[in-house]
Amino acid sequence: MFRESARALCKRKRKRNEFKSGSVDMASVDKGKATKEQKYDRQLRLWGDHGQDALENAHVCLINASATGTEILKNLVLPGIGAFTIVDENKVRGEDVGNNFFLTKSSIGRNRAQAATELLQELNSDVSGNFVEESPDQLLDNDPDFFHRFSLVIAVHLPESTLLRLAAFVWGAGVPLLVCRTYGLIGYMRLVVKEHTVVESHPDNALEDLRLDHPFPELKKHIQSYDLENMEKRDHSHTPWIIVMAKYLEKWRSEHNKQMPKSYKEKEAFRELIRQGIRKNENGVPEDEENFDEAIKNVNTALNPTKISSGVEELLQDENSKNIKAQTSSFWLLVRALKEFVEKEGQGSLPVRGTIPDMIADSDKFIKLQNVYREKAKEDATAVSNHISALLQSVGRLPESVSEQEIRLFCKSSAFLRVVRCRSLAEEYSTETINKDEISSCMDNPDSEMVLYLMLRAVDKFYQQHGRYPGVYNYQVEEDIGKLKSCVNSFLQENGLAVNVKHDYIHEFCRYGAVEPHPVASFVGGSAAQEAIKIITHQFVPFNNTFIYNAMAQTSATFQL
Amino acid sequence: MADVEEPEKKRRRVEELSEKMAVDSGCRDTGDWEGRWNHVKKFLERAGPFTHPDFEPSTESLQFLLDTCKVLVIGAGGLGCELLKNLALSGFRQIHVIDMDTIDVSNLNRQFLFRPKDVGRPKADVAAEFVNNRIPGCNVVPHFKKIQDFDESFYRQFHIIVCGLDSIIARRWINGMLMSLLSYEDGVLDPSSIIPLLDGGTEGFKGNARVILPGMTACIDCTLELYPPQINFPMCTIASMPRLPEHCIEYVRILQWPKENPFGEGVVLDGDDPEHIQWVFQKSLERAAEFKITGVTYRLTQGVVKRIIPAVASTNAVIAATCATEVFKIASSAYIPLNNYLVFNDVDGLYTYTFEAERKENCSACSQVPQKLQFSSSAKLQEVLDYLTENASLQMKTPAITATVDGKNKTLYLQTVASIEERTRPNLSRTLKELGLAEGQELAVADVTTPQTVLFKLNFTS
């Protein structure tokens, strides 16, 4: 699906008469030299230059420049998103200015999209800001293709009917949608994306890929080149713990029918075996050999069997990797190539990752060992590359269409591949496919964040019925509690949910009067922006698919609805 | 659908008209306009089922926030900018902000109150200017100073203090300062002497926010173990056995620079000077080549030399928002505050975890329990010094130890003044007995991690 780059879109003149739109003229050139490299340094260390490129080529659409919306955009403009377009037909009111950093007193009465665009644009001259003074309903009526050009659509505070209409359009077009709202002290996000693939998930605590249970031939040969018993003391103390462990593992396996130490007792005995290997001085006292200490410490994790995780295994067996076509994405082509590698050269294992942790060792021994892993990783990547070339050829595509760099990165990350698939909003909202199980089981605890989701659905029902939200004016509060309760009950009944919603929550949601306190909007702003960046850069893993933030209790939860 | 929308449209039109009239007819001195505080007032003027037991709905609470409540924001960086915005848009107007730094280009990706033209100017000043300009009526007072430049009389004036600091030492200092403001009558803590301290911290995609009620809940020092000491590479690795590109860079920074003085005698390596970093980068490449190590880049060099922590706008927004919500809760008694620690991580989905950090019974900052030192009388003073710096609960940086010996105040060791360090250095190799210290002796220890001296009781084990 072709999506225009941000720059191309901005250059295009919009010759529309039906609605007013525009871009904001960039202010005069900023004084002071601030190179992008310097300015974005702190974030480049998180997502790299390629992540930044993806960000700078993205064009995001925000519907409704309420505080939540502008806070989200602020956190996308600051890191340098390519372009944004705000869709908002509303005029700025006094209360809008009160909670929104990107509206001022002089904005009152002006179109909210335009006013907000000006002050957001001012944050970063690298970014191109646009606005459209139309309601999303009007756009969906007159120009539904409008939304298809964006990398991501962020919908803030849309009534249910409009939201479902929008969601249906962008779902069909394959454009990711992020629904956000702030309702009193509750924050809400819903990610709607059919399929989102992640190569670089950057897991927090990844286990090393050392292959000690099945050393590949080059590693075996390298281990054999060491003669621990007859080494000089200095060499002995500066041998990498990986080698030390491998040597003692050989010993253990030869005495235990080729089995690895598995049980707690066996691992204890194995540690003792290594400990016995520590050189002793003339008085029989063990010397200080930190590398042996490291080996002993790592027994727990380094002996884990080399195994493909269930998550990755599922991907290898996925339909998308089985049925390769001409338009199959690079991701699935690579998964298929990976699968073929695993079945052939890998002999059941993924490509060697090629990295080892730092450890006490002299430079020479460490570098040599590191290179053994690196060379093997290169070799495996080449094998994967050959599979890719054959696959590309088989569907009539050029071998260069998947770069060497992409292949290498994919191989290095192969243990951490992730695919996120969200249910559509239609599925969530239909009484036939609503996720009853998830809702009911969460509501076993009546104070679970799930009750807040149910309340949000109920206030939307209230809006549908009464044309307003509950409790906006003081005089409405008491009566609206009863009306909202009816909405809650009919919602539960329509959806066959036998759960109890405590009266306190109904009261609280009337108390909120649908306000949008800035700090809560800002929390959602930060959270949503980061999820947007994940979608755009394909790095780190987005949530799936509903996130609720409770500012009263300072808790949060993620549900798959 | 059109029928349902009509009443709503009508209502808004009526509202719009009345707002217009309010604007045209001139506003009050505060520069307020109709509806300005609608998003805030609901929480102050309406009763609710989850409010704090002390909460009473009132139309006067807003005035308290606007005119009276004094909040101190420490730090005008990533968290500070967000905090100032959040507080100003929540009705707080009497805000002070302290920051000792000036603006750098690398701040601009998240510290949104600053622009390229502001580079070089004090953060506190620019931040205050921006907020006061954008939010009419807001009165942010900037202080381009260190927190240590102020004493109790300054801090005492605030109702609440929020920190967006990037240093554990600074956190411990302000923590200690607030402890020193506590007053006890007959062993009972006077609640009016408590100034709530809200603390936020971020690093990449991780962050935390906590509420500290000095004298009542866990303080910074109670949970020092949550901040493990920064790991530096061992010298032998750097000097003779480098394996990683980082080792090569540290070699140049720690050993080669002082030896070669590439920019002149006594010119210290300045991580913010691109020429300095370029030199370190080149030399690191040479060192790496010697040992066949790959991976030295300019970016890595700068990162290692400056101990750079990656940072983005989004994490700061989340943590500052959490803190600001707590400020509002505490100032308004609207809800029970966070009790008392929240951690946040959005690497994989979004994850928060809230728990109650517990007070440490013998916390050196807040427990009032006399701190003990147990050593043999033949132990050297150096051992005591090592204990003060290495013990996980104390983690002092450059402690100065004094004692009363023979009725006179004697400085046993002090390292922050070169001449005194030289004079007292021999004491380090003397035994506690030789130094004239007795069983049950009180030692007073001063350190950057606390504004107050910490008293230790010396017990001899042998």
Side-chain angles (χ1 to χ4, degrees):
Chain A
M1 214 232 68
F2 176 73
R3 249 176 238 139
E4 298 179 51
S5 77
R7 280 183 204 90
L9 177 64
C10 299
K11 282 204 181 116
R12 257 184 47 176
K13 280 243 150 145
R14 298 188 61 83
K15 293 184 200 113
R16 302 206 160 268
N17 297 322
E18 308 101 274
F19 57 85
K20 201 170 131 196
S21 73
S23 319
V24 176
D25 279 340
M26 247 72 104
S28 56
V29 177
D30 286 306
K31 275 192 286 177
K33 225 178 96 161
T35 68
K36 277 200 200 168
E37 178 86 28
Q38 289 173 298
K39 183 161 76 165
Y40 299 135
D41 178 83
R42 299 298 185 269
Q43 69 203 39
L44 294 172
R45 290 167 192 278
L46 290 165
W47 53 68
D49 297 315
H50 58 300
Q52 187 65 27
D53 281 340
L55 205 53
E56 290 178 14
N57 281 309
H59 188 164
V60 155
C61 176
L62 168 74
I63 306 177
N64 282 332
S66 73
T68 306
T70 56
E71 286 297 299
I72 297 171
L73 277 191
K74 153 179 139 289
N75 298 323
L76 292 172
V77 168
L78 287 170
I81 193 127
F84 67 87
T85 296
I86 303 181
V87 170
D88 194 342
E89 86 276 27
N90 293 299
K91 297 263 185 284
V92 178
R93 297 171 300 177
E95 68 174 24
D96 292 336
V97 182
N99 75 343
N100 195 325
F101 195 74
F102 299 95
L103 296 174
T104 58
K105 197 164 145 189
S106 59
S107 315
I108 296 177
R110 296 180 61 206
N111 168 256
R112 198 165 63 171
Q114 183 171 21
T117 298
E118 281 163 16
L119 291 182
L120 282 165
Q121 169 74 82
E122 188 268 327
L123 283 174
N124 188 350
S125 55
D126 295 339
V127 176
S128 172
N130 312 280
F131 62 92
V132 172
E133 278 184 53
E134 280 255 315
S135 76
D137 275 313
Q138 279 172 295
L139 284 169
L140 289 169
D141 286 336
N142 302 325
D143 180 24
D145 278 347
F146 174 82
F147 294 104
H148 295 186
R149 76 201 67 215
F150 297 109
S151 324
L152 170 72
V153 174
I154 303 172
V156 170
H157 298 178
L158 287 186
E160 188 176 309
S161 50
T162 311
L163 179 62
L164 290 172
R165 259 189 99 195
L166 172 72
F169 268 105
V170 294
W171 180 263
V175 175
L177 170 67
L178 184 60
V179 182
C180 303
R181 73 196 294 187
T182 300
Y183 199 96
L185 293 178
I186 310 302
Y188 164 89
M189 295 196 297
R190 167 59 152 107
L191 179 64
V192 193
V193 59
K194 254 187 216 157
E195 179 182 280
H196 178 80
T197 61
V198 183
V199 173
E200 293 178 272
S201 56
H202 302 290
D204 260 337
N205 295 309
L207 283 175
E208 301 286 344
D209 182 24
L210 303 176
R211 306 292 167 115
L212 283 172
D213 58 339
H214 284 114
F216 45 92
E218 296 83 349
L219 179 59
K220 236 190 227 157
K221 189 160 162 227
H222 187 72
I223 295 166
Q224 268 157 21
S225 71
Y226 279 82
D227 180 2
L228 280 184
E229 264 86 63
N230 296 314
M231 285 172 122
E232 291 292 319
K233 164 126 194 348
R234 193 163 198 282
D235 283 323
H236 193 261
S237 311
H238 291 94
T239 295
W241 70 255
I242 292 177
I243 302 285
V244 171
M245 189 175 298
K247 284 293 196 188
Y248 284 93
L249 201 53
E250 270 172 17
K251 205 164 171 212
W252 175 281
R253 291 177 98 163
S254 69
E255 292 164 11
H256 287 83
N257 197 21
K258 295 211 184 133
Q259 292 303 303
M260 300 277 289
K262 283 193 206 78
S263 70
Y264 175 77
K265 243 174 135 186
E266 286 170 336
K267 285 187 177 176
E268 261 305 295
F270 183 61
R271 277 190 208 99
E272 189 52 39
L273 185 66
I274 298 175
R275 203 171 283 124
Q276 288 310 315
I278 297 177
R279 292 268 171 92
K280 297 184 175 61
N281 65 14
E282 56 275 4
N283 299 324
V285 177
E287 304 267 27
D288 199 6
E289 299 206 281
E290 276 184 82
N291 58 331
F292 271 72
D293 292 339
E294 280 183 339
I296 291 165
K297 205 167 63 156
N298 281 288
V299 164
N300 256 337
T301 48
L303 298 181
N304 283 348
T306 303
K307 209 168 71 116
I308 301 179
S309 74
S310 55
V312 175
E313 191 63 60
E314 266 174 47
L315 294 185
L316 297 179
Q317 304 305 330
D318 194 288
E319 274 308 302
N320 286 298
S321 97
K322 289 209 171 107
N323 302 317
I324 300 298
K325 305 183 188 75
Q327 61 268 49
T328 299
S329 67
S330 306
F331 180 85
W332 289 112
L333 277 167
L334 284 161
V335 170
R336 171 60 173 269
L338 192 67
K339 179 164 185 269
E340 291 175 0
F341 170 89
V342 168
E343 284 162 3
K344 195 168 157 213
E345 298 94 343
Q347 294 172 38
S349 297
L350 294 171
V352 166
R353 197 176 309 157
T355 58
I356 57 173
D358 190 27
M359 59 194 73
I360 297 293
D362 64 53
S363 313
D364 190 57
K365 293 191 182 61
F366 179 85
I367 299 297
K368 286 209 168 80
L369 178 63
Q370 188 181 57
N371 283 336
V372 168
Y373 282 92
R374 277 184 181 173
E375 286 307 312
K376 181 63 175 165
K378 258 194 222 154
E379 194 187 294
D380 286 352
T382 304
V384 171
S385 183
N386 292 335
H387 286 288
I388 276 264
S389 295
L391 285 167
L392 285 167
Q393 244 186 355
S394 75
V395 290
R397 279 171 62 179
L398 294 168
E400 299 87 68
S401 50
V402 180
S403 74
E404 287 306 310
Q405 204 184 25
E406 236 185 300
I407 297 169
R408 259 182 276 125
L409 182 60
F410 188 86
C411 289
K412 190 165 171 218
S413 319
S414 59
F416 311 119
L417 304 173
R418 298 280 294 272
V419 174
V420 172
R421 291 181 175 120
C422 305
R423 292 213 314 161
S424 69
L425 266 193
E427 284 174 275
E428 176 185 340
Y429 278 66
S430 152
T431 53
E432 267 141 58
T433 49
I434 182 171
N435 193 343
K436 279 205 268 236
D437 287 341
E438 176 83 335
I439 296 174
S440 305
S441 65
C442 288
M443 286 303 289
D444 278 343
N445 167 19
D447 297 307
S448 150
E449 283 81 6
M450 184 59 80
V451 74
L452 304 170
Y453 169 77
L454 296 175
M455 286 313 307
L456 289 174
R457 293 294 304 269
V459 298
D460 280 343
K461 211 178 214 315
F462 188 104
Y463 186 87
Q464 258 180 338
Q465 281 177 22
H466 303 279
R468 60 176 179 82
Y469 287 105
V472 173
Y473 294 101
N474 288 343
Y475 73 85
Q476 294 171 326
V477 177
E478 209 175 307
E479 214 181 289
D480 283 354
I481 291 176
K483 292 196 181 119
L484 184 56
K485 196 179 172 101
S486 308
C487 291
V488 171
N489 289 336
S490 49
F491 173 79
L492 293 177
Q493 202 181 48
E494 279 157 28
N495 288 286
L497 291 164
V499 300
N500 174 41
V501 173
K502 281 185 183 172
H503 183 84
D504 281 347
Y505 291 103
I506 300 174
H507 181 177
E508 183 74 359
F509 270 68
C510 279
R511 178 180 190 242
Y512 289 157
V515 293
E516 197 185 4
H518 184 85
V520 186
S522 189
F523 187 105
V524 176
S527 306
Q530 186 48 31
E531 296 310 301
I533 290 173
K534 289 178 187 176
I535 296 290
I536 292 164
T537 60
H538 284 267
Q539 294 187 41
F540 307 96
V541 185
F543 72 109
N544 186 4
N545 56 35
T546 300
F547 176 78
I548 306 268
Y549 165 62
N550 179 352
M552 290 187 285
Q554 297 290 16
T555 57
S556 73
T558 301
F559 306 118
Q560 212 167 357
L561 296 176
Chain B
M1 208 192 322
D3 294 321
V4 161
E5 279 176 6
E6 276 312 314
E8 173 67 9
K9 272 194 181 153
K10 227 189 207 169
R11 180 185 79 78
R12 279 171 52 177
R13 229 181 318 128
V14 169
E15 265 182 48
E16 281 168 35
L17 287 172
S18 49
E19 268 162 23
K20 264 196 146 174
M21 288 195 307
V23 171
D24 288 343
S25 66
C27 292
R28 289 147 48 211
D29 287 332
T30 51
D32 274 352
W33 53 85
E34 186 72 33
R36 181 177 189 182
W37 302 112
N38 277 0
H39 297 279
V40 174
K41 290 203 296 203
K42 304 283 190 292
F43 300 101
L44 302 173
E45 298 173 0
R46 293 180 173 186
F50 297 110
T51 56
H52 195 289
D54 293 344
F55 175 72
E56 271 175 39
S58 155
T59 47
E60 274 143 41
S61 312
L62 180 61
Q63 282 316 118
F64 169 73
L65 292 188
L66 292 169
D67 302 333
T68 316
C69 189
K70 249 173 150 173
V71 182
L72 173 64
V73 175
I74 304 185
L79 285 168
C81 288
E82 293 280 341
L83 285 167
L84 290 172
K85 160 183 69 77
N86 295 344
L87 293 172
L89 289 173
S90 299
F92 296 93
R93 292 181 151 170
Q94 316 311 326
I95 305 173
H96 285 237
V97 63
I98 303 175
D99 196 307
M100 62 185 202
D101 273 337
T102 56
I103 298 162
D104 179 69
V105 170
S106 65
N107 299 148
L108 302 177
N109 79 327
R110 63 203 183 281
Q111 299 173 24
F112 61 93
L113 300 176
F114 313 142
R115 297 290 174 273
K117 63 170 169 52
D118 299 320
V119 172
R121 287 188 61 199
K123 288 189 180 185
D125 293 346
V126 180
E129 255 169 53
F130 198 114
V131 174
N132 292 339
N133 189 20
R134 182 64 61 91
I135 320 270
C138 195
N139 182 22
V140 180
V141 177
H143 302 278
F144 175 36
K145 291 224 159 84
K146 299 199 298 290
I147 50 175
Q148 292 87 354
D149 292 336
F150 298 97
D151 63 16
E152 316 88 61
S153 60
F154 174 78
Y155 292 105
R156 212 184 286 276
Q157 67 181 298
F158 298 102
H159 292 94
I160 302 171
I161 298 180
V162 204
C163 294
L165 290 164
D166 58 1
S167 140
I168 297 167
I169 294 176
R171 282 185 175 89
R172 292 177 69 183
W173 193 91
I174 187 69
N175 183 71
M177 166 55 71
L178 295 189
M179 296 306 155
S180 73
L181 297 179
L182 297 175
S183 70
Y184 292 82
E185 275 170 43
D186 300 322
V188 177
L189 177 58
D190 170 16
S192 68
S193 65
I194 301 174
I195 300 180
L197 174 65
L198 272 53
D199 180 67
T202 63
E203 200 175 302
F205 299 124
K206 301 186 182 149
N208 58 75
R210 62 193 298 186
V211 175
I212 295 170
L213 301 174
M216 289 178 61
T217 63
C219 79
I220 301 282
D221 282 52
C222 288
T223 56
L224 261 188
E225 289 90 31
L226 288 177
Y227 307 102
Q230 212 182 19
I231 299 171
N232 291 310
F233 304 116
M235 270 317 286
C236 59
T237 299
I238 296 175
S240 53
M241 271 189 300
R243 297 173 298 267
L244 304 178
E246 288 87 341
H247 300 158
C248 303
I249 298 165
E250 286 288 77
Y251 172 84
V252 176
R253 179 181 77 87
I254 298 172
L255 296 173
Q256 203 170 344
W257 178 287
K259 212 167 87 176
E260 291 185 31
N261 282 309
F263 289 83
E265 191 69 37
V267 174
V268 172
L269 170 54
D270 176 8
D272 293 319
D273 187 335
E275 283 187 43
H276 288 202
I277 298 289
Q278 185 64 233
W279 187 89
V280 174
F281 172 49
Q282 289 307 322
K283 295 296 176 191
S284 302
L285 282 172
E286 288 168 26
R287 172 98 173 147
E290 218 185 297
F291 291 88
K292 300 198 184 61
I293 296 171
T294 59
V296 174
T297 61
Y298 184 92
R299 190 177 288 165
L300 184 68
T301 304
Q302 200 179 33
V304 171
V305 170
K306 292 178 70 172
R307 297 287 195 263
I308 289 178
I309 296 174
V312 283
S314 55
T315 320
N316 282 322
V318 167
I319 295 301
T322 307
C323 290
T325 298
E326 293 306 308
V327 173
F328 182 82
K329 284 183 193 170
I330 291 170
S332 64
S333 290
Y335 291 85
I336 297 170
L338 165 68
N339 183 19
N340 55 45
Y341 203 113
L342 175 140
V343 298
F344 172 83
N345 183 338
D346 64 357
V347 167
D348 186 342
L350 303 107
Y351 171 78
T352 65
Y353 176 61
T354 308
F355 66 100
E356 186 179 341
E358 285 177 4
R359 287 189 78 178
K360 189 124 60 66
E361 261 181 60
N362 59 344
C363 176
S364 56
C366 79
S367 75
Q368 302 234 295
V369 167
Q371 299 297 298
K372 289 205 192 80
L373 287 173
Q374 315 242 54
F375 287 93
S376 155
S377 57
S378 55
K380 304 214 171 71
L381 186 64
Q382 178 72 58
E383 286 175 55
V384 177
L385 190 73
D386 289 341
Y387 174 78
L388 292 172
T389 51
E390 286 162 20
N391 177 272
S393 311
L394 293 174
Q395 289 187 49
M396 293 192 166
K397 299 294 158 191
T398 51
I401 312 171
T402 58
T404 313
V405 179
D406 299 330
K408 280 198 286 197
N409 213 357
K410 180 176 176 179
T411 303
L412 296 174
Y413 183 64
L414 187 149
Q415 55 188 297
T416 47
V417 178
S419 55
I420 304 179
E421 199 280 327
E422 219 181 305
R423 179 171 62 77
T424 55
R425 202 185 306 150
N427 287 342
L428 290 176
S429 29
R430 298 206 176 100
T431 69
L432 302 180
K433 195 163 172 207
E434 281 168 2
L435 290 167
L437 300 174
E439 162 71 30
Q441 171 106 42
E442 238 180 30
L443 294 180
V445 180
D447 187 52
V448 290
T449 51
T450 165
Q452 275 183 301
T453 318
V454 184
L455 293 175
F456 289 84
K457 200 154 180 210
L458 186 58
N459 287 129
F460 287 142
T461 53
S462 60

